[in-house]
């Protein structure tokens, strides 16, 4: 198993969650590598959005997987003496055996895997998987179109998908575990302060711990929205239970490689 804690003990300058030309990132892998070296990073992982069984402009196709591996090899040859580069994926959980646990992903020669939920079933047409991860404007439109305005369905289903993903396994890091909280709390103010919501997060946390998975503290939205995933209010729980964590900025631009990361690391230390 990949030793994330080895990296986090060694340095604060790592990032194990990045998106490049192989999915919806806005720069090439090589641009990420050179920026990472310039910023003093010693460990960098590439995690394109995995091939999926649903239509998604953000995910890589299966035909892109080998070129992705080839590009990593090329970059390792060119830069491997200056930075550790990791081949990984952010694998979408869609449904039973359609996610990280699937044979296809298990057989890929990846250094590690992030498991994430970005899609949940349409409330009336469960075969239709709907993106709930994007910007609020689009989320709000889909709340009417795909979920009949039922925000509790959306929140409950997001967490039940996360729970099912954890049960099925096949991955190492739980990606942005309560990300639905941001869009949901814009749709219904402070929904993420309600006790039933809190219980969903805590139940998920306990399940993750039972399965000995690493939790990502995702800092992508910190500067823009003042929000970490998991939310800052859960950092104390992570510490109390000595949860294995990695801090990633989920960067889609090389300049955002360290975005919010050092703040999260500092807050974890002082809490
Ligand atoms: Zn994600
Ligand atoms: Zn991501």
């Amino acid at each position: 198993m990949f030793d994330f804690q080895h990296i986090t003990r060694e340095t604060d300058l790592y990032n194990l969650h990045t998106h490049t030309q192989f999915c919806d990132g806005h720069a090439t892998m090589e641009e990420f590598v050179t920026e990472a070296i310039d910023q003093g990073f010693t460990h960098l992982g590439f995690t394109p959005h995995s091939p999926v069984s649903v239509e998604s402009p953000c995910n890589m196709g299966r035909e892109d997987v080998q070129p992705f591996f080839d590009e990593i090899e090329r970059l390792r040859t060119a830069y491997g003496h200056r930075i550790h580069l990791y081949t990984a994926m952010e694998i979408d959980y869609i449904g039973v055996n359609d996610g990280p646990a699937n044979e296809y992903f298990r057989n890929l020669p990846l250094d590690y895997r992030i498991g994430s939920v970005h899609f949940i079933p349409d409330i009336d047409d469960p075969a239709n998987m709907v993106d709930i991860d994007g910007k609020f404007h689009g989320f709000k439109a889909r709340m009417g179109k795909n979920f009949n305005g039922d925000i509790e369905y959306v929140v409950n289903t997001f967490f039940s998908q996360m729970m099912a993903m954890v049960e099925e396994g096949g991955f190492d890091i739980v990606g942005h575990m309560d990300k639905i909280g941001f869009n949901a709390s814009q749709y219904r103010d402070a929904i993420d302060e309600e006790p039933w919501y809190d219980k969903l997060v805590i139940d998920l946390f306990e399940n993750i711990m039972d399965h000995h998975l690493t939790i990502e503290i995702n800092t992508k939205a910190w500067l823009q929205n003042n929000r970490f995933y998991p939310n800052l209010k859960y950092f104390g729980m992570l510490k109390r239970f000595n949860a294995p964590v990695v801090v990633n900025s989920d960067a889609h631009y090389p300049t955002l490689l360290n975005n919010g990361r050092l703040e999260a690391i500092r807050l974890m230390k002082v809490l």
Side-chain angles (χ1 to χ4, degrees), residues 90-101 106 113-118 158-177 204 207-208 211 213:
E90 181 177 17
I91 305 176
D92 266 290
Y93 182 79
I94 303 295
V96 177
N97 200 32
D98 189 358
R106 286 189 188 270
R113 294 151 172 84
I114 298 176
S116 293
V117 170
H118 305 108
F158 173 85
F159 283 105
S160 65
Q161 291 282 94
M162 290 291 294
M163 290 289 262
M165 179 177 80
V166 168
E167 290 293 331
E168 285 186 47
F171 64 102
D172 310 280
I173 301 175
V174 182
H176 45 65
M177 62 178 269
L204 173 60
N207 201 11
I208 293 168
H211 287 82
L213 296 168

Side-chain angles (χ1 to χ4, degrees), residues 76-90:
R76 277 197 180 121
T77 306
Y79 300 99
H81 57 295
R82 301 179 69 185
I83 188 165
H84 297 279
L85 300 176
Y86 301 107
T87 315
M89 260 184 204
E90 181 177 17

Side-chain angles (χ1 to χ4, degrees), residues 17-19 24 47 49 90 116 118 176 218 220 250-252:
H17 189 162
T18 60
H19 298 283
D24 59 348
T47 52
H49 291 291
E90 181 177 17
S116 293
H118 305 108
H176 45 65
N218 185 301
K220 182 184 175 193
D250 194 354
H252 291 60

